[in-house]
Amino acid sequence: MRFWALLLTLVALLGLRLGLGVSPSAQLADLLPPGLGAQSQAEKDSFPVLQDRFDRQLWLLVEAKDPDALVSRGQALAASAKEAPFVAAVQGGPSDGYQALGRYRGQLLADADRQLPDQTLLNRALALWLGPVPSSLKADPLLTFSHWLEAQQPHASSLALHQGWPLWHKDGHYALVLTLTLKDSAYDSRQQGAVQQWLQSLGPDVEATGTVLYAAKGAQQAQTEVSRFGTLALVAVLVLIFWGFGGWRAIRFMGGLLLLSLLGALAGLWWCFPKAHWLALVMGASVIGICADYGFHALAAGKDQPGIRRPLLWGLVSSLLAYGVMSLSPFPGLAQLGVTAVAGLLTAYLYVRFLAKVPDSPSRHWPERLLVVLDKVRRPGAVVLALGLLVFITLGVTRLSFEDNVRQWQPKDPALLAVEGRLAYWLGARPSGQYLLVPAKDVQGVLAAEEALKPRLQALVASGNLQQWLAVSQAVPSQARQQADWQRLTALRQRLDALLGGALGPAPAFDSGLQPGALHDDGRLALLLDGPAPASVILPQGLTEQGAAQLGDLLLVSPADKASAVFSHYRDQILTLLAVALAVLAMVLVLCLRGRGLAVLATSLAALGAGLAIPAYLGQPFNLIHALALVLVLGLSLDYGFFFATGPSKAPHTLLAVLLSMVSSLFAFGLLTASSTPVLVGFGAVVAAGLLSAFLASLFWARP
């Protein structure tokens, strides 16, 4: 009766939560604390806006040898994109934007022309006016406007108009790049599906990349891994039940345990985190194996249930402490895993301790015979194990390095990376992931501040420490700059007109209409943040470490590097807390278990040492996720030590239950090493190595 009451309660809670809505996330930012890596208020204000703008972009690339065919393909693509319900804007096709700038031709001056003396500009113009005069020269007598338009072309590129379309030309091939702005978030699952379906309809010649595709791939991959790992873990547990205890009553008992644990874990997770990340679900799938531990101990004990209550409670408390640390983590992804585990384990303990009647199981004689053998070789076995672990840990720890890289938290799809490589080939540079944040009181102040930085950036380009940069002021100069250039160009035009006998006519008047909103299809406008706290972003491309050092007095922001630095800080804090926890545990264990307490502590130390060494053998630097895995290893290794140290020393059911628990947990966490996400591989490997070491150490060291 109590079983059905709890089952119906959990089903109702889970159904209510699903009815209110859950939306598992694939966004990396949802795994991290809010504002992670943002130190100044300007960074906190700018980063979410920039992230949303760039996350909504989708790049299309088409390559061909025939420019005419490429233009035709581009026309069809642009028409299809404009009709797509999820596309807000299309950039990269023919536009009258630059033609519309003709009205401002008398107030736009390229940086190269601005540095030339007046007489040089006049002599250059006169040399052209001595021959046949084209109509275009009359509209731009000093050639300054045409040079300004040429300066808008990206550096290290061969971009030219063909039938009005901007095409890239290299090595006898042409490329067309279209940039689409999506209406909704890149992490909206419905939009992801619509984008993928639309791209499939375009044909294989259209390559695409963007956050929306990375998010879709990540979600699909996570769903696959959740299903695969959860199913395999469940099958493994069922096989272990049948092998260890036999009979359908044991299967039914464990089936009820796993069902309630799963419902409890999901209810706890989604009530606390309706937008839980898929990575948390993948790691949470391994909790099935941990929850089965309580059932193994109950089945193995049979009629001796009172004999396992104390170690079972000790095991629950230690596991809750380990996972509880995760649930209090400032990182949402780890807190989600902690809550999932706590809810699942509490449900499993309640089921075994109070709700279900433990069925009798057939007697297994091999654990008793194994104990006899182990007792005979216990002393030499303990020494060999100690020496083996010492060598393994020493070799690993001496090769260990420490580094946290946030980029490891999300897998990269090889196909999408290949498209990014082709884009970098055509565009001449790959984004560095850094940006210069330029705050000011108003938009004109932002543009003026960018212009003041140009000499420093040009010096970096000249020294080879910067390839190029993108800025709003390249497309729309400040009003002060336009006014100064207009005055100079007007004076030069009047001098040229006098030399040509009045052939030019009056100079165009100054037009204050060239504001950031004048070029609606220029992608650089997305770098302007014109909210309550105006600012802009300068995107450096090909910036070297030396170049970044020379910009150290400016607000050079690298979100990934800052997040990695914060990860390192939390990693060091967790390791410090782990050391404190070990010291406290040592005192508690000695007071409560005396000599057996030291044996339990030695078991945990061996497990932690093995887990600490594993990243070196995997070729991974030790990072935050490994540190959190060690917290879990500490809690689970204490379980094994407690059961052997506090249970009946010669009871074969203790060995059977701990062995099955270890194998199920080893399989559950070992499955994570098959993940395509590096952090999951490291997490699973550290926990698996720690648990195996804990089992062997408790078997030889912790038993009375």
XYZ file of all heavy atoms in Angstrom, residues 207-275:
525
model
N 26.634 24.741 -47.550
C 27.193 24.411 -46.236
C 26.756 25.475 -45.242
O 26.642 26.659 -45.585
C 28.710 24.341 -46.304
C 29.232 23.258 -47.243
C 30.749 23.238 -47.297
O 31.324 24.180 -47.882
O 31.341 22.296 -46.760
N 26.541 25.067 -44.011
C 26.018 25.995 -43.008
C 26.682 25.744 -41.667
O 27.096 24.622 -41.351
C 24.503 25.850 -42.879
N 26.781 26.800 -40.870
C 27.276 26.677 -39.506
C 26.672 27.802 -38.679
O 26.198 28.808 -39.210
C 28.812 26.730 -39.448
O 29.242 26.423 -38.117
C 29.342 28.102 -39.830
N 26.676 27.619 -37.390
C 26.096 28.603 -36.491
C 25.717 27.959 -35.179
O 25.647 26.728 -35.055
N 25.469 28.783 -34.183
C 25.139 28.274 -32.852
C 23.902 27.393 -32.871
O 23.821 26.400 -32.146
C 24.928 29.446 -31.881
O 26.111 30.249 -31.854
C 24.640 28.952 -30.481
N 22.922 27.737 -33.701
C 21.690 26.960 -33.741
C 21.973 25.517 -34.148
O 21.337 24.580 -33.629
C 20.669 27.618 -34.696
C 21.168 27.621 -36.125
C 19.322 26.919 -34.597
N 22.941 25.317 -35.042
C 23.273 23.954 -35.474
C 24.083 23.224 -34.415
O 23.896 22.028 -34.191
C 24.030 24.005 -36.803
C 23.249 24.604 -37.978
C 24.092 24.589 -39.245
C 21.948 23.844 -38.206
N 25.005 23.938 -33.742
C 25.751 23.319 -32.644
C 24.800 22.896 -31.522
O 24.929 21.813 -30.943
C 26.795 24.290 -32.096
C 28.091 24.293 -32.864
C 28.489 25.404 -33.592
C 28.927 23.184 -32.863
C 29.677 25.416 -34.296
C 30.119 23.183 -33.555
C 30.496 24.304 -34.274
O 31.676 24.301 -34.971
N 23.845 23.777 -31.205
C 22.898 23.461 -30.135
C 22.041 22.258 -30.510
O 21.769 21.386 -29.671
C 22.021 24.675 -29.849
N 21.603 22.207 -31.759
C 20.775 21.079 -32.204
C 21.566 19.776 -32.156
O 21.055 18.745 -31.691
C 20.264 21.340 -33.617
N 22.821 19.814 -32.627
C 23.664 18.614 -32.583
C 23.897 18.169 -31.148
O 23.865 16.973 -30.832
C 24.998 18.892 -33.270
C 24.919 19.084 -34.774
C 24.748 17.762 -35.494
C 24.843 17.952 -36.997
N 24.644 16.688 -37.733
N 24.159 19.150 -30.262
C 24.393 18.805 -28.864
C 23.184 18.175 -28.208
O 23.297 17.204 -27.458
N 21.992 18.720 -28.497
C 20.771 18.168 -27.914
C 20.508 16.756 -28.434
O 20.151 15.857 -27.666
C 19.590 19.084 -28.230
N 20.688 16.562 -29.736
C 20.463 15.231 -30.310
C 21.447 14.216 -29.748
O 21.085 13.081 -29.422
C 20.584 15.313 -31.833
C 19.474 16.115 -32.496
C 19.785 16.469 -33.933
O 20.834 16.088 -34.477
N 18.897 17.194 -34.568
N 22.698 14.644 -29.620
C 23.717 13.745 -29.094
C 23.437 13.400 -27.640
O 23.569 12.240 -27.219
C 25.075 14.426 -29.214
C 26.230 13.629 -28.654
C 27.533 14.378 -28.836
O 27.962 14.643 -29.948
N 28.158 14.753 -27.742
N 23.026 14.409 -26.852
C 22.734 14.164 -25.443
C 21.538 13.226 -25.287
O 21.538 12.338 -24.434
C 22.470 15.485 -24.732
N 20.505 13.432 -26.105
C 19.346 12.546 -26.040
C 19.748 11.107 -26.358
O 19.298 10.164 -25.703
C 18.283 13.025 -27.025
C 17.632 14.341 -26.655
C 16.660 14.817 -27.713
O 16.012 14.024 -28.370
N 16.555 16.125 -27.878
N 20.612 10.955 -27.358
C 21.076 9.615 -27.716
C 21.846 8.979 -26.567
O 21.652 7.798 -26.235
C 21.959 9.679 -28.971
O 21.201 10.233 -30.050
C 22.456 8.297 -29.364
N 22.723 9.770 -25.931
C 23.536 9.227 -24.848
C 22.695 8.935 -23.609
O 22.935 7.949 -22.910
C 24.672 10.195 -24.525
C 25.718 10.276 -25.642
C 26.896 11.142 -25.266
O 26.868 11.760 -24.184
O 27.863 11.202 -26.054
N 21.705 9.796 -23.328
C 20.820 9.525 -22.184
C 20.106 8.197 -22.385
O 20.044 7.347 -21.492
C 19.799 10.668 -22.011
C 18.676 10.237 -21.071
C 20.477 11.903 -21.460
N 19.551 8.013 -23.586
C 18.826 6.779 -23.877
C 19.752 5.568 -23.838
O 19.439 4.545 -23.224
C 18.158 6.891 -25.244
O 17.541 5.684 -25.613
N 20.918 5.704 -24.474
C 21.842 4.572 -24.556
C 22.405 4.214 -23.197
O 22.375 3.052 -22.775
C 22.977 4.909 -25.524
C 23.994 3.781 -25.703
C 25.191 4.304 -26.473
N 24.784 4.918 -27.727
C 25.496 5.856 -28.353
N 26.618 6.284 -27.823
N 25.076 6.353 -29.494
N 22.923 5.224 -22.465
C 23.547 4.943 -21.178
C 22.521 4.457 -20.156
O 22.787 3.534 -19.377
C 24.247 6.198 -20.645
C 25.425 6.630 -21.486
C 26.000 7.876 -21.298
C 25.949 5.813 -22.468
C 27.080 8.280 -22.062
C 27.020 6.206 -23.250
C 27.583 7.449 -23.042
N 21.338 5.097 -20.147
C 20.313 4.668 -19.204
C 19.860 3.242 -19.465
O 19.685 2.449 -18.537
N 19.686 2.897 -20.743
C 19.251 1.538 -21.089
C 20.310 0.508 -20.730
O 20.013 -0.539 -20.144
C 18.926 1.455 -22.590
O 17.903 2.406 -22.901
C 18.460 0.069 -22.966
N 21.566 0.804 -21.078
C 22.644 -0.135 -20.781
C 22.826 -0.316 -19.276
O 23.064 -1.435 -18.794
C 23.944 0.335 -21.427
C 24.011 0.247 -22.961
C 25.312 0.837 -23.481
C 23.876 -1.199 -23.416
N 22.726 0.802 -18.529
C 22.859 0.700 -17.075
C 21.731 -0.146 -16.490
O 21.947 -0.975 -15.592
C 22.862 2.092 -16.452
N 20.519 0.041 -17.011
C 19.383 -0.740 -16.525
C 19.562 -2.217 -16.841
O 19.329 -3.090 -15.985
C 18.093 -0.212 -17.153
C 16.801 -0.932 -16.770
C 16.574 -0.840 -15.264
C 15.621 -0.345 -17.530
N 19.983 -2.513 -18.057
C 20.203 -3.910 -18.440
C 21.283 -4.540 -17.564
O 21.159 -5.693 -17.111
C 20.582 -4.007 -19.930
C 21.045 -5.420 -20.285
C 19.392 -3.613 -20.801
N 22.356 -3.794 -17.327
C 23.440 -4.322 -16.500
C 22.959 -4.644 -15.092
O 23.313 -5.683 -14.517
C 24.582 -3.308 -16.445
N 22.143 -3.745 -14.528
C 21.627 -3.981 -13.181
C 20.749 -5.227 -13.152
O 20.844 -6.067 -12.244
C 20.848 -2.743 -12.689
C 20.081 -3.073 -11.404
C 21.800 -1.582 -12.443
N 19.893 -5.385 -14.162
C 19.018 -6.559 -14.208
C 19.820 -7.855 -14.341
O 19.488 -8.866 -13.715
C 18.032 -6.420 -15.372
C 16.992 -5.293 -15.232
C 16.131 -5.197 -16.479
C 16.114 -5.523 -14.002
N 20.871 -7.817 -15.158
C 21.720 -9.000 -15.310
C 22.392 -9.341 -13.976
O 22.461 -10.514 -13.570
C 22.769 -8.770 -16.404
C 23.816 -9.889 -16.402
C 22.098 -8.696 -17.775
N 22.877 -8.311 -13.283
C 23.513 -8.547 -11.992
C 22.513 -9.106 -10.973
O 22.857 -9.963 -10.152
C 24.121 -7.243 -11.471
C 25.389 -6.760 -12.185
C 25.798 -5.394 -11.670
C 26.533 -7.752 -11.982
N 21.282 -8.608 -11.008
C 20.260 -9.117 -10.083
C 20.021 -10.602 -10.329
O 20.000 -11.419 -9.388
C 18.942 -8.328 -10.264
C 19.137 -6.865 -9.878
C 17.832 -8.942 -9.412
C 17.974 -5.986 -10.278
N 19.828 -10.935 -11.587
C 19.524 -12.326 -11.917
C 20.699 -13.238 -11.577
O 20.522 -14.350 -11.084
C 19.180 -12.442 -13.405
C 18.312 -13.615 -13.718
C 16.938 -13.544 -13.541
C 18.860 -14.804 -14.171
C 16.130 -14.632 -13.822
C 18.062 -15.901 -14.445
C 16.685 -15.814 -14.272
N 21.920 -12.744 -11.855
C 23.099 -13.551 -11.556
C 23.330 -13.662 -10.047
O 23.682 -14.721 -9.535
C 24.318 -12.937 -12.228
C 25.598 -13.615 -11.847
C 26.047 -14.829 -12.255
C 26.594 -13.109 -10.950
N 27.258 -15.120 -11.687
C 27.622 -14.077 -10.874
C 26.727 -11.941 -10.209
C 28.756 -13.894 -10.097
C 27.858 -11.757 -9.436
C 28.857 -12.734 -9.383
N 23.140 -12.562 -9.337
C 23.454 -12.558 -7.909
C 22.392 -13.183 -7.044
O 22.705 -13.779 -6.004
N 21.113 -13.087 -7.456
C 20.039 -13.519 -6.564
C 19.045 -14.474 -7.230
O 18.379 -15.239 -6.546
C 19.290 -12.296 -6.017
C 20.209 -11.287 -5.396
C 20.501 -10.101 -6.048
C 20.818 -11.542 -4.185
C 21.356 -9.174 -5.493
C 21.683 -10.625 -3.616
C 21.964 -9.431 -4.272
N 18.917 -14.400 -8.542
C 18.023 -15.311 -9.252
C 16.565 -15.100 -8.869
O 16.243 -14.470 -7.861
N 15.684 -15.621 -9.672
C 14.263 -15.564 -9.356
C 13.623 -14.250 -9.753
O 14.256 -13.195 -9.746
N 12.327 -14.362 -10.091
C 11.611 -13.179 -10.533
C 11.204 -12.280 -9.379
O 10.922 -11.094 -9.580
C 10.381 -13.597 -11.333
C 10.749 -14.228 -12.633
C 10.691 -15.540 -12.961
C 11.283 -13.545 -13.770
N 11.143 -15.745 -14.244
C 11.516 -14.525 -14.773
C 11.591 -12.225 -14.058
C 12.040 -14.226 -16.016
C 12.106 -11.907 -15.304
C 12.327 -12.902 -16.273
N 11.165 -12.828 -8.137
C 10.823 -11.963 -7.012
C 11.904 -10.900 -6.786
O 11.599 -9.745 -6.471
C 10.631 -12.811 -5.757
C 9.335 -13.630 -5.777
C 9.143 -14.357 -4.469
N 10.247 -15.283 -4.194
C 10.400 -15.953 -3.064
N 9.504 -15.808 -2.084
N 11.414 -16.786 -2.905
N 13.156 -11.305 -6.956
C 14.245 -10.330 -6.836
C 14.172 -9.298 -7.964
O 14.420 -8.095 -7.750
C 15.597 -11.040 -6.862
N 13.832 -9.766 -9.172
C 13.687 -8.842 -10.302
C 12.569 -7.841 -10.018
O 12.714 -6.631 -10.259
C 13.385 -9.624 -11.603
C 14.570 -10.519 -11.981
C 13.030 -8.676 -12.738
C 15.772 -9.777 -12.472
N 11.438 -8.344 -9.495
C 10.312 -7.464 -9.195
C 10.683 -6.455 -8.103
O 10.339 -5.270 -8.184
C 9.112 -8.297 -8.768
C 7.851 -7.473 -8.565
C 6.609 -8.335 -8.371
N 6.723 -9.184 -7.187
C 6.844 -10.505 -7.224
N 6.879 -11.134 -8.386
N 6.955 -11.217 -6.115
N 11.400 -6.932 -7.077
C 11.836 -6.045 -5.993
C 12.729 -4.927 -6.531
O 12.531 -3.743 -6.232
C 12.573 -6.868 -4.935
C 13.224 -6.046 -3.858
C 12.488 -5.552 -2.805
C 14.589 -5.776 -3.910
C 13.098 -4.796 -1.802
C 15.209 -5.026 -2.923
C 14.456 -4.534 -1.873
N 13.716 -5.298 -7.335
C 14.640 -4.304 -7.882
C 13.955 -3.435 -8.937
O 14.286 -2.250 -9.092
C 15.855 -4.999 -8.481
C 16.744 -5.670 -7.452
S 17.496 -4.508 -6.274
C 18.614 -3.624 -7.363
N 12.998 -4.014 -9.678
C 12.263 -3.207 -10.649
C 11.502 -2.079 -9.986
O 11.488 -0.940 -10.474
N 10.851 -2.398 -8.844
C 10.167 -1.346 -8.097
C 11.132 -0.293 -7.593
O 10.841 0.910 -7.618
N 12.315 -0.749 -7.117
C 13.338 0.183 -6.640
C 13.779 1.131 -7.750
O 13.837 2.360 -7.566
C 14.533 -0.608 -6.107
C 15.802 0.192 -5.795
C 15.559 1.149 -4.647
C 16.963 -0.737 -5.486
N 14.105 0.583 -8.926
C 14.607 1.407 -10.023
C 13.530 2.347 -10.554
O 13.817 3.495 -10.902
C 15.130 0.504 -11.143
C 16.343 -0.362 -10.780
C 16.707 -1.276 -11.940
C 17.531 0.502 -10.393
N 12.283 1.860 -10.607
C 11.197 2.703 -11.097
C 10.979 3.904 -10.189
O 10.914 5.055 -10.650
C 9.907 1.880 -11.209
C 8.636 2.665 -11.601
C 8.803 3.292 -12.973
C 7.415 1.765 -11.552
N 10.880 3.653 -8.885
C 10.670 4.754 -7.950
C 11.870 5.699 -7.925
O 11.705 6.930 -7.850
C 10.403 4.210 -6.550
C 9.052 3.528 -6.317
C 8.934 3.087 -4.871
C 7.909 4.463 -6.670
N 13.073 5.136 -7.997
C 14.271 5.980 -7.983
C 14.309 6.892 -9.200
O 14.646 8.079 -9.103
C 15.527 5.106 -7.940
O 15.555 4.312 -6.784
N 13.956 6.336 -10.358
C 13.953 7.141 -11.579
C 12.907 8.248 -11.503
O 13.196 9.411 -11.832
C 13.685 6.244 -12.784
C 13.624 6.949 -14.154
C 14.952 7.616 -14.470
C 13.253 5.954 -15.245
N 11.698 7.903 -11.062
C 10.653 8.918 -10.940
C 11.040 9.989 -9.918
O 10.836 11.189 -10.139
C 9.334 8.260 -10.537
C 8.684 7.340 -11.584
C 7.450 6.665 -10.990
C 8.303 8.126 -12.833
N 11.616 9.559 -8.792
C 12.036 10.521 -7.778
C 13.135 11.434 -8.271
O 13.123 12.646 -8.017
N 14.101 10.856 -9.006
C 15.211 11.656 -9.520
C 14.718 12.692 -10.527
O 15.106 13.871 -10.469
C 16.250 10.737 -10.166
N 13.852 12.270 -11.454
C 13.345 13.206 -12.462
C 12.444 14.269 -11.846
O 12.504 15.446 -12.230
C 12.584 12.433 -13.541
C 13.429 11.562 -14.472
C 12.544 10.807 -15.449
C 14.451 12.407 -15.234
N 11.611 13.864 -10.892
C 10.741 14.844 -10.237
C 11.570 15.887 -9.495
O 11.317 17.099 -9.592
C 9.777 14.138 -9.285
N 12.585 15.423 -8.747
C 13.442 16.369 -8.032
C 14.188 17.294 -8.974
O 14.288 18.505 -8.745
N 14.717 16.732 -10.063
C 15.479 17.536 -11.013
C 14.611 18.598 -11.664
O 14.962 19.784 -11.684
C 16.088 16.623 -12.080
C 16.766 17.338 -13.264
C 17.990 18.099 -12.798
C 17.139 16.334 -14.345
N 13.455 18.185 -12.203
C 12.668 19.129 -13.000
C 11.854 20.096 -12.151
O 11.477 21.161 -12.619
C 11.783 18.360 -13.978
C 12.553 18.006 -15.230
C 13.591 18.701 -15.772
C 12.355 16.872 -16.069
N 14.059 18.071 -16.912
C 13.307 16.945 -17.119
C 11.480 15.800 -16.056
C 13.397 15.990 -18.124
C 11.564 14.855 -17.060
C 12.508 14.956 -18.085
N 11.575 19.748 -10.897
C 10.948 20.741 -10.038
C 11.957 21.804 -9.616
O 11.603 22.978 -9.443
C 10.322 20.085 -8.816
C 8.902 19.658 -9.060
C 8.453 18.381 -9.256
C 7.752 20.497 -9.151
N 7.093 18.371 -9.479
C 6.625 19.664 -9.414
C 7.550 21.873 -9.046
C 5.343 20.168 -9.565
C 6.259 22.373 -9.198
C 5.183 21.527 -9.456
N 13.193 21.415 -9.435
C 14.227 22.392 -9.059
C 14.806 23.107 -10.275
O 15.161 24.284 -10.196
C 15.350 21.697 -8.283
S 14.859 21.025 -6.687
N 14.898 22.394 -11.395
C 15.515 22.952 -12.602
C 14.666 22.591 -13.830
O 14.956 21.607 -14.515
C 16.945 22.422 -12.789
C 17.865 22.706 -11.648
C 18.106 21.739 -10.677
C 18.496 23.942 -11.527
C 18.955 21.991 -9.623
C 19.346 24.198 -10.467
C 19.579 23.229 -9.515
N 13.616 23.358 -14.122
C 12.784 23.041 -15.298
C 13.559 23.096 -16.612
O 13.137 22.475 -17.593
C 11.695 24.119 -15.258
C 11.685 24.610 -13.849
C 13.089 24.485 -13.358
N 14.682 23.825 -16.633
C 15.492 23.924 -17.848
C 16.839 23.231 -17.657
O 17.881 23.724 -18.092
C 15.711 25.389 -18.230
C 14.424 26.122 -18.596
C 14.695 27.549 -19.042
C 13.408 28.253 -19.449
N 13.648 29.651 -19.884
